[in-house]
Amino acid sequence: MKCSVGQVTALLKSNKPYLGVLFIQFVIAGRSLFNKAAISKGMNPYVFVAYRQAFASVVLAPFAIFFESHQSASLSFNLLCKIFFVSLFGITVSFDLNSLSMDYVSATFTVAISNTVPAITFIMALLLRMECIAIREWHGVAKLVGSIVSLGGAMVFILIKGPPIYSLGSRHKELSSAAPSPSNNSESYYSRGDWLKGSLTCVTSNIGLSFWTIMQGPLTKQYPAILRLTALQTFFSCIQSVVWAAAAERNISSWKLGWDINLLSVIFCGVVATGISYWLRIWVINKKGPVFLAMFTPLTLPITAFLSAVLWKESLHWGSLCGALLLVGGLYGYLWGRHQEAKVEKEEKKPAETTQETV
């Protein structure tokens, strides 16, 4: 029994990045649902982001000071400016556009279109030579084909609905339409113009997120205190979000929070989705690289679609299901290629180490 427990513990320790990135996907799914719920209840999207970042900053600051007070990391003016602009474009702009898109499309759609993040991140990483592809090797082909299939699955999910997998009874429809929930903003509610606006804001938000993901590698090399780096980016984003929200929404009543879904959404998205999740993102990027983190994004889609169908009575369609299967298939194709690539690199290092020892 002790042996089996030890084996399980060793297995968990060796797969920490995988467990961390899976946790992140569940958090993203929850964030999308809470975000949609708050916006559907009439909360201003910019005010939502401002409160979200404020809660995250308050929670992260004490932990960053307490746990990393002993770690020395120099912070120059040049590095401070880099962190400020990465926070502006990678967090503030990305968050505000993502929240704004909730006015135009459903939570499931925003998560579906977020699956362009792996492709965008992959292209950025290739251009910056942070990622390489060995086309003549099987693992290189698997990484490339997996990325293409994953992106294709996202496009299928977005563009091809198909017939519904199940149909709600008429009585159930009446009850769900009468319920005061975000499900009232069903897919039939959105016009073609709303769909286009939502798509453009989502894609622009994803470009910002990909930029943030790519930049964490260079930033952690210059400033290795990960928790403090996360707190600093969140703090800058908080200031930027408050200024943005104050300029966009000057009605004081829009800033009031009550004991309702808006407060719960802000706390969850601030503390968990930003505070804990973004610290974990930087840790995973530091361990496995930006593309590894981005390639797990497709898993959020089936999670959100299922929860939206259960909680908000959004319809699931066969086209969406096929798209989700392609997404997951592409993800695991990429991960298989990455695993084989790591094996090859490990085998190549062994002869070099043996040669050095002999000399």
Side-chain angles (χ1 to χ4, degrees), residues 242-284:
V242 169
V243 172
W244 187 325
E249 182 56 74
R250 299 181 182 180
N251 187 359
I252 300 299
S253 61
S254 299
W255 290 80
K256 291 180 180 178
L257 284 176
W259 294 97
D260 53 13
I261 188 64
N262 290 352
L263 179 61
L264 181 62
S265 299
V266 165
I267 292 174
F268 177 84
C269 292
V271 176
V272 182
T274 299
I276 298 173
S277 175
Y278 269 69
W279 166 77
L280 198 55
R281 283 170 187 250
I282 296 175
W283 181 83
V284 170

Short mmCIF file of all heavy atoms in Angstrom, two decimals, residues 242-284:
data_model
loop_
_atom_site.label_atom_id
_atom_site.label_comp_id
_atom_site.label_asym_id
_atom_site.label_seq_id
_atom_site.Cartn_x
_atom_site.Cartn_y
_atom_site.Cartn_z
N VAL A 242 -8.93 50.71 -14.19
CA VAL A 242 -9.71 51.73 -13.49
C VAL A 242 -9.78 53.01 -14.32
O VAL A 242 -10.85 53.62 -14.45
CB VAL A 242 -9.11 52.02 -12.09
CG1 VAL A 242 -9.75 53.26 -11.47
CG2 VAL A 242 -9.31 50.83 -11.17
N VAL A 243 -8.66 53.41 -14.90
CA VAL A 243 -8.64 54.61 -15.76
C VAL A 243 -9.53 54.40 -16.98
O VAL A 243 -10.32 55.28 -17.35
CB VAL A 243 -7.18 54.93 -16.19
CG1 VAL A 243 -7.17 56.05 -17.23
CG2 VAL A 243 -6.34 55.32 -14.99
N TRP A 244 -9.42 53.23 -17.62
CA TRP A 244 -10.24 52.90 -18.79
C TRP A 244 -11.72 52.92 -18.42
O TRP A 244 -12.53 53.53 -19.13
CB TRP A 244 -9.83 51.52 -19.31
CG TRP A 244 -10.45 51.11 -20.61
CD1 TRP A 244 -11.71 51.40 -21.06
CD2 TRP A 244 -9.84 50.33 -21.65
NE1 TRP A 244 -11.94 50.84 -22.28
CE2 TRP A 244 -10.81 50.18 -22.68
CE3 TRP A 244 -8.60 49.74 -21.80
CZ2 TRP A 244 -10.54 49.46 -23.84
CZ3 TRP A 244 -8.34 49.01 -22.95
CH2 TRP A 244 -9.30 48.88 -23.96
N ALA A 245 -12.07 52.27 -17.32
CA ALA A 245 -13.48 52.19 -16.91
C ALA A 245 -14.03 53.55 -16.52
O ALA A 245 -15.18 53.88 -16.83
CB ALA A 245 -13.61 51.21 -15.74
N ALA A 246 -13.21 54.36 -15.83
CA ALA A 246 -13.65 55.69 -15.42
C ALA A 246 -13.90 56.59 -16.62
O ALA A 246 -14.84 57.42 -16.62
CB ALA A 246 -12.61 56.32 -14.50
N ALA A 247 -13.11 56.42 -17.67
CA ALA A 247 -13.29 57.21 -18.89
C ALA A 247 -14.52 56.75 -19.68
O ALA A 247 -15.23 57.56 -20.29
CB ALA A 247 -12.04 57.12 -19.76
N ALA A 248 -14.79 55.45 -19.65
CA ALA A 248 -15.90 54.88 -20.43
C ALA A 248 -17.23 54.96 -19.70
O ALA A 248 -18.29 55.10 -20.32
CB ALA A 248 -15.59 53.43 -20.79
N GLU A 249 -17.23 54.84 -18.37
CA GLU A 249 -18.46 54.81 -17.57
C GLU A 249 -18.36 55.80 -16.41
O GLU A 249 -17.66 55.55 -15.43
CB GLU A 249 -18.69 53.40 -17.04
CG GLU A 249 -19.98 53.23 -16.24
CD GLU A 249 -21.21 53.64 -17.02
OE1 GLU A 249 -21.63 52.91 -17.93
OE2 GLU A 249 -21.75 54.74 -16.70
N ARG A 250 -19.06 56.93 -16.54
CA ARG A 250 -18.98 57.99 -15.51
C ARG A 250 -20.20 58.01 -14.59
O ARG A 250 -20.30 58.85 -13.71
CB ARG A 250 -18.81 59.35 -16.18
CG ARG A 250 -17.52 59.44 -17.00
CD ARG A 250 -17.32 60.77 -17.65
NE ARG A 250 -16.10 60.79 -18.46
CZ ARG A 250 -15.68 61.84 -19.14
NH1 ARG A 250 -16.37 62.97 -19.11
NH2 ARG A 250 -14.57 61.76 -19.86
N ASN A 251 -21.11 57.08 -14.82
CA ASN A 251 -22.29 56.98 -13.96
C ASN A 251 -21.91 56.22 -12.68
O ASN A 251 -21.54 55.05 -12.72
CB ASN A 251 -23.41 56.23 -14.70
CG ASN A 251 -24.71 56.24 -13.92
OD1 ASN A 251 -24.79 56.77 -12.81
ND2 ASN A 251 -25.73 55.63 -14.51
N ILE A 252 -22.00 56.90 -11.54
CA ILE A 252 -21.57 56.33 -10.26
C ILE A 252 -22.36 55.07 -9.91
O ILE A 252 -21.83 54.12 -9.32
CB ILE A 252 -21.73 57.37 -9.12
CG1 ILE A 252 -20.88 58.61 -9.41
CG2 ILE A 252 -21.32 56.77 -7.78
CD1 ILE A 252 -19.40 58.35 -9.50
N SER A 253 -23.64 55.04 -10.29
CA SER A 253 -24.48 53.88 -9.95
C SER A 253 -23.98 52.60 -10.61
O SER A 253 -24.22 51.49 -10.10
CB SER A 253 -25.93 54.14 -10.36
OG SER A 253 -26.02 54.34 -11.77
N SER A 254 -23.26 52.71 -11.72
CA SER A 254 -22.73 51.53 -12.42
C SER A 254 -21.59 50.88 -11.65
O SER A 254 -21.22 49.74 -11.93
CB SER A 254 -22.24 51.92 -13.82
OG SER A 254 -23.30 52.44 -14.60
N TRP A 255 -21.02 51.61 -10.69
CA TRP A 255 -19.89 51.11 -9.92
C TRP A 255 -20.32 50.43 -8.62
O TRP A 255 -19.50 49.88 -7.90
CB TRP A 255 -18.91 52.24 -9.59
CG TRP A 255 -18.17 52.73 -10.79
CD1 TRP A 255 -18.62 53.58 -11.75
CD2 TRP A 255 -16.83 52.40 -11.17
NE1 TRP A 255 -17.66 53.80 -12.70
CE2 TRP A 255 -16.54 53.09 -12.37
CE3 TRP A 255 -15.84 51.58 -10.60
CZ2 TRP A 255 -15.31 52.99 -13.00
CZ3 TRP A 255 -14.61 51.49 -11.24
CH2 TRP A 255 -14.36 52.19 -12.43
N LYS A 256 -21.62 50.48 -8.32
CA LYS A 256 -22.09 49.91 -7.06
C LYS A 256 -22.17 48.39 -7.15
O LYS A 256 -22.63 47.84 -8.13
CB LYS A 256 -23.48 50.47 -6.72
CG LYS A 256 -23.45 51.95 -6.35
CD LYS A 256 -24.85 52.46 -6.03
CE LYS A 256 -24.83 53.95 -5.66
NZ LYS A 256 -26.19 54.47 -5.38
N LEU A 257 -21.71 47.72 -6.08
CA LEU A 257 -21.78 46.27 -5.99
C LEU A 257 -22.73 45.87 -4.87
O LEU A 257 -22.67 46.43 -3.77
CB LEU A 257 -20.40 45.67 -5.72
CG LEU A 257 -19.40 45.60 -6.88
CD1 LEU A 257 -18.06 45.08 -6.39
CD2 LEU A 257 -19.92 44.73 -8.01
N GLY A 258 -23.59 44.92 -5.14
CA GLY A 258 -24.52 44.41 -4.13
C GLY A 258 -24.20 42.96 -3.81
O GLY A 258 -23.26 42.37 -4.36
N TRP A 259 -24.98 42.37 -2.91
CA TRP A 259 -24.79 40.96 -2.58
C TRP A 259 -25.53 40.10 -3.61
O TRP A 259 -26.60 39.55 -3.35
CB TRP A 259 -25.29 40.68 -1.17
CG TRP A 259 -24.47 41.39 -0.13
CD1 TRP A 259 -24.76 42.57 0.47
CD2 TRP A 259 -23.22 40.96 0.40
NE1 TRP A 259 -23.76 42.92 1.34
CE2 TRP A 259 -22.79 41.94 1.33
CE3 TRP A 259 -22.39 39.84 0.20
CZ2 TRP A 259 -21.60 41.85 2.04
CZ3 TRP A 259 -21.21 39.74 0.92
CH2 TRP A 259 -20.83 40.73 1.81
N ASP A 260 -24.97 40.02 -4.81
CA ASP A 260 -25.63 39.30 -5.90
C ASP A 260 -24.59 38.60 -6.76
O ASP A 260 -23.42 38.49 -6.38
CB ASP A 260 -26.48 40.27 -6.73
CG ASP A 260 -25.67 41.49 -7.21
OD1 ASP A 260 -24.42 41.45 -7.09
OD2 ASP A 260 -26.29 42.46 -7.67
N ILE A 261 -25.02 38.16 -7.93
CA ILE A 261 -24.15 37.42 -8.84
C ILE A 261 -22.99 38.27 -9.32
O ILE A 261 -21.89 37.76 -9.62
CB ILE A 261 -24.96 36.87 -10.05
CG1 ILE A 261 -24.11 35.91 -10.92
CG2 ILE A 261 -25.51 38.01 -10.89
CD1 ILE A 261 -23.67 34.66 -10.23
N ASN A 262 -23.18 39.60 -9.40
CA ASN A 262 -22.09 40.48 -9.84
C ASN A 262 -20.91 40.43 -8.88
O ASN A 262 -19.75 40.34 -9.31
CB ASN A 262 -22.61 41.93 -9.95
CG ASN A 262 -23.58 42.11 -11.10
OD1 ASN A 262 -23.75 41.19 -11.91
ND2 ASN A 262 -24.21 43.26 -11.19
N LEU A 263 -21.19 40.49 -7.58
CA LEU A 263 -20.12 40.43 -6.58
C LEU A 263 -19.42 39.07 -6.61
O LEU A 263 -18.18 39.00 -6.57
CB LEU A 263 -20.70 40.70 -5.19
CG LEU A 263 -19.70 40.65 -4.02
CD1 LEU A 263 -18.62 41.70 -4.18
CD2 LEU A 263 -20.42 40.82 -2.68
N LEU A 264 -20.21 38.00 -6.70
CA LEU A 264 -19.64 36.65 -6.76
C LEU A 264 -18.76 36.48 -7.99
O LEU A 264 -17.67 35.90 -7.92
CB LEU A 264 -20.77 35.61 -6.76
CG LEU A 264 -20.34 34.14 -6.79
CD1 LEU A 264 -19.53 33.78 -5.56
CD2 LEU A 264 -21.56 33.23 -6.91
N SER A 265 -19.22 37.01 -9.12
CA SER A 265 -18.46 36.91 -10.38
C SER A 265 -17.14 37.66 -10.29
O SER A 265 -16.09 37.16 -10.71
CB SER A 265 -19.29 37.46 -11.54
OG SER A 265 -20.48 36.74 -11.70
N VAL A 266 -17.19 38.86 -9.73
CA VAL A 266 -15.98 39.68 -9.59
C VAL A 266 -14.97 39.00 -8.67
O VAL A 266 -13.77 38.97 -8.97
CB VAL A 266 -16.35 41.09 -9.05
CG1 VAL A 266 -15.11 41.82 -8.57
CG2 VAL A 266 -17.04 41.90 -10.14
N ILE A 267 -15.44 38.45 -7.55
CA ILE A 267 -14.54 37.78 -6.61
C ILE A 267 -13.90 36.55 -7.24
O ILE A 267 -12.68 36.34 -7.16
CB ILE A 267 -15.29 37.38 -5.32
CG1 ILE A 267 -15.69 38.64 -4.53
CG2 ILE A 267 -14.43 36.48 -4.45
CD1 ILE A 267 -16.57 38.36 -3.33
N PHE A 268 -14.71 35.71 -7.91
CA PHE A 268 -14.16 34.51 -8.54
C PHE A 268 -13.17 34.87 -9.64
O PHE A 268 -12.06 34.32 -9.69
CB PHE A 268 -15.29 33.65 -9.13
CG PHE A 268 -14.79 32.43 -9.86
CD1 PHE A 268 -14.49 31.26 -9.17
CD2 PHE A 268 -14.59 32.45 -11.24
CE1 PHE A 268 -14.01 30.14 -9.84
CE2 PHE A 268 -14.11 31.33 -11.91
CZ PHE A 268 -13.82 30.18 -11.21
N CYS A 269 -13.57 35.78 -10.53
CA CYS A 269 -12.70 36.15 -11.64
C CYS A 269 -11.44 36.87 -11.18
O CYS A 269 -10.38 36.73 -11.79
CB CYS A 269 -13.47 37.02 -12.64
SG CYS A 269 -14.78 36.14 -13.52
N GLY A 270 -11.56 37.64 -10.09
CA GLY A 270 -10.39 38.36 -9.59
C GLY A 270 -9.44 37.47 -8.83
O GLY A 270 -8.24 37.41 -9.14
N VAL A 271 -9.96 36.75 -7.83
CA VAL A 271 -9.11 35.96 -6.94
C VAL A 271 -8.60 34.68 -7.64
O VAL A 271 -7.41 34.38 -7.62
CB VAL A 271 -9.86 35.59 -5.65
CG1 VAL A 271 -9.01 34.69 -4.78
CG2 VAL A 271 -10.25 36.85 -4.89
N VAL A 272 -9.53 33.94 -8.25
CA VAL A 272 -9.17 32.64 -8.83
C VAL A 272 -8.68 32.77 -10.28
O VAL A 272 -7.58 32.33 -10.62
CB VAL A 272 -10.36 31.66 -8.77
CG1 VAL A 272 -9.96 30.29 -9.33
CG2 VAL A 272 -10.86 31.51 -7.34
N ALA A 273 -9.52 33.39 -11.14
CA ALA A 273 -9.21 33.43 -12.58
C ALA A 273 -8.02 34.34 -12.90
O ALA A 273 -7.33 34.10 -13.90
CB ALA A 273 -10.44 33.89 -13.36
N THR A 274 -7.79 35.39 -12.10
CA THR A 274 -6.63 36.25 -12.35
C THR A 274 -5.51 35.95 -11.36
O THR A 274 -4.40 35.60 -11.77
CB THR A 274 -7.02 37.74 -12.24
OG1 THR A 274 -8.00 38.04 -13.22
CG2 THR A 274 -5.80 38.62 -12.49
N GLY A 275 -5.78 36.06 -10.06
CA GLY A 275 -4.73 35.89 -9.06
C GLY A 275 -4.04 34.55 -9.11
O GLY A 275 -2.84 34.45 -9.41
N ILE A 276 -4.78 33.48 -8.84
CA ILE A 276 -4.20 32.14 -8.79
C ILE A 276 -3.84 31.63 -10.19
O ILE A 276 -2.74 31.13 -10.42
CB ILE A 276 -5.19 31.15 -8.11
CG1 ILE A 276 -5.44 31.59 -6.67
CG2 ILE A 276 -4.65 29.73 -8.17
CD1 ILE A 276 -6.51 30.79 -5.96
N SER A 277 -4.77 31.81 -11.13
CA SER A 277 -4.59 31.26 -12.47
C SER A 277 -3.40 31.88 -13.20
O SER A 277 -2.61 31.16 -13.84
CB SER A 277 -5.86 31.46 -13.29
OG SER A 277 -5.68 31.05 -14.62
N TYR A 278 -3.22 33.19 -13.10
CA TYR A 278 -2.13 33.83 -13.84
C TYR A 278 -0.77 33.54 -13.21
O TYR A 278 0.24 33.46 -13.93
CB TYR A 278 -2.39 35.34 -13.97
CG TYR A 278 -3.14 35.65 -15.24
CD1 TYR A 278 -4.47 35.26 -15.41
CD2 TYR A 278 -2.52 36.27 -16.30
CE1 TYR A 278 -5.16 35.51 -16.57
CE2 TYR A 278 -3.19 36.52 -17.49
CZ TYR A 278 -4.51 36.14 -17.62
OH TYR A 278 -5.19 36.38 -18.80
N TRP A 279 -0.72 33.39 -11.91
CA TRP A 279 0.53 32.95 -11.29
C TRP A 279 0.87 31.54 -11.78
O TRP A 279 2.03 31.24 -12.11
CB TRP A 279 0.39 32.93 -9.76
CG TRP A 279 1.50 32.19 -9.09
CD1 TRP A 279 2.78 32.63 -8.87
CD2 TRP A 279 1.45 30.85 -8.58
NE1 TRP A 279 3.53 31.65 -8.25
CE2 TRP A 279 2.75 30.54 -8.06
CE3 TRP A 279 0.46 29.88 -8.51
CZ2 TRP A 279 3.05 29.31 -7.48
CZ3 TRP A 279 0.76 28.66 -7.93
CH2 TRP A 279 2.04 28.39 -7.44
N LEU A 280 -0.15 30.67 -11.86
CA LEU A 280 0.06 29.30 -12.33
C LEU A 280 0.45 29.27 -13.79
O LEU A 280 1.29 28.45 -14.22
CB LEU A 280 -1.23 28.49 -12.11
CG LEU A 280 -1.13 26.96 -12.13
CD1 LEU A 280 -0.10 26.47 -11.13
CD2 LEU A 280 -2.49 26.35 -11.82
N ARG A 281 -0.12 30.18 -14.59
CA ARG A 281 0.23 30.26 -16.02
C ARG A 281 1.72 30.56 -16.19
O ARG A 281 2.41 29.93 -17.00
CB ARG A 281 -0.58 31.36 -16.71
CG ARG A 281 -2.02 31.00 -17.03
CD ARG A 281 -2.75 32.26 -17.46
NE ARG A 281 -4.17 32.03 -17.62
CZ ARG A 281 -4.81 32.03 -18.78
NH1 ARG A 281 -4.14 32.24 -19.89
NH2 ARG A 281 -6.11 31.85 -18.84
N ILE A 282 2.20 31.56 -15.45
CA ILE A 282 3.61 31.95 -15.56
C ILE A 282 4.51 30.79 -15.13
O ILE A 282 5.55 30.53 -15.74
CB ILE A 282 3.89 33.21 -14.72
CG1 ILE A 282 3.10 34.41 -15.28
CG2 ILE A 282 5.38 33.54 -14.73
CD1 ILE A 282 3.21 35.66 -14.44
N TRP A 283 4.10 30.07 -14.08
CA TRP A 283 4.88 28.92 -13.61
C TRP A 283 4.95 27.84 -14.68
O TRP A 283 6.02 27.26 -14.93
CB TRP A 283 4.24 28.36 -12.33
CG TRP A 283 4.98 27.19 -11.76
CD1 TRP A 283 6.09 27.22 -10.95
CD2 TRP A 283 4.68 25.81 -11.97
NE1 TRP A 283 6.49 25.94 -10.65
CE2 TRP A 283 5.65 25.05 -11.25
CE3 TRP A 283 3.68 25.13 -12.68
CZ2 TRP A 283 5.64 23.66 -11.25
CZ3 TRP A 283 3.68 23.74 -12.67
CH2 TRP A 283 4.65 23.02 -11.96
N VAL A 284 3.80 27.54 -15.34
CA VAL A 284 3.77 26.52 -16.40
C VAL A 284 4.63 26.95 -17.58
O VAL A 284 5.38 26.15 -18.15
CB VAL A 284 2.31 26.25 -16.84
CG1 VAL A 284 2.29 25.37 -18.09
CG2 VAL A 284 1.52 25.57 -15.73
#
